Amino acid sequence: MLHRILVVHGPNLNMLGLREPEIYGSLTLDELNRSLETLARSLNMALTTFQANGEGELVTRIQQARSDGTTWLVINAGAYTHTSVAIRDALAAIDRPFIEVHLSNVHAREPFRHHSYLSDLARGVIAGLGAMSYEAALHFIARQPTDLEAVA
Ligand code: DHK
C-alpha cells in the first residue's frame, strides 16, 4: 500500500503569496499544493490537500481521515495551533500519525506562537523552512513503513 497523505492547511493559509510575504513567502497556496503533489508522486505516495478557515470544518475533515484511507497527515493549523483543543482532540481521535509544520519559525516570533496544542501528539514538528517544512515532512513519511511492510 502506498502512503496516502492528507495535508491540512488552517486559517489564512488561503492568502499565501499575498499575506505578509516577508514571513510566509511568495508562493500561493495553489502553487504550494501543486508542488507537494508533484513531490509526493515522485516519492510514490498519494496526496490530498484541504484548507479551511473555520475550526469546525478542519475538525470534520480530520475526522474523515479515519475512514478515507489516509495513512499520515501533515498539518499546518495556522493560528489554531496555538488555541485549539478541538483540533488537538480530532487528531487524537483518528489514530493516525501526523507531522506539525509551520512556514515561519514560530519560536522566533511573538510569545503566543511558542505554545502549540498539537506538538506533543505529533511524530515531528518542522518550523521555519518555508515550503520546505512541508517537503521535509513528505520525505520523512516516504521513508516510513506502510502497514504491509510493517507486518511482512
Ligand atoms: C501560520 C499561521 O497562520 C500562524 O498563525 C502561525 C503559521 C504560524 C506558519 O508559520 O505557517 O502562528
Side-chain angles (χ1 to χ4, degrees):
M1 185 186 68
L2 295 173
H3 280 302
R4 297 175 64 88
I5 301 169
L6 172 63
V7 178
V8 178
H9 306 283
N12 298 307
L13 291 165
N14 56 314
M15 294 194 65
L16 279 185
L18 298 172
R19 171 194 187 205
E20 299 176 276
E22 64 291 353
I23 296 176
Y24 297 108
S26 55
L27 219 58
T28 66
L29 184 61
D30 238 37
E31 289 166 343
L32 173 62
N33 284 339
R34 274 191 267 115
S35 80
L36 295 178
E37 281 159 14
T38 302
L39 175 60
R41 221 174 297 122
S42 77
L43 294 169
N44 201 28
M45 306 189 297
L47 182 137
T48 308
T49 60
F50 178 78
Q51 190 276 333
N53 291 323
E55 194 173 18
E57 292 162 270
L58 292 164
V59 166
T60 299
R61 183 64 189 91
I62 291 166
Q63 288 177 359
Q64 288 165 355
R66 199 184 162 99
S67 53
D68 70 359
T70 297
T71 60
W72 276 81
L73 287 83
V74 174
I75 180 162
N76 182 352
Y80 289 137
T81 305
H82 320 296
T83 63
S84 180
V85 177
I87 289 176
R88 174 194 175 85
D89 286 351
L91 288 164
I94 60 170
D95 197 25
R96 295 290 183 284
F98 72 91
I99 301 179
E100 174 184 343
V101 298
H102 301 286
L103 294 152
S104 66
N105 178 359
V106 283
H107 299 288
R109 300 181 62 194
E110 304 94 322
F112 62 83
R113 296 186 203 275
H114 297 180
H115 176 260
S116 164
Y117 277 97
L118 315 181
S119 296
D120 62 305
L121 299 180
R123 277 292 298 279
V125 181
I126 307 170
L129 308 183
M132 286 183 73
S133 294
Y134 293 79
E135 292 167 14
L138 297 191
H139 281 287
F140 176 81
I141 295 168
R143 296 180 66 165
Q144 304 312 302
T146 61
D147 282 354
L148 286 181
E149 286 160 358
V151 294

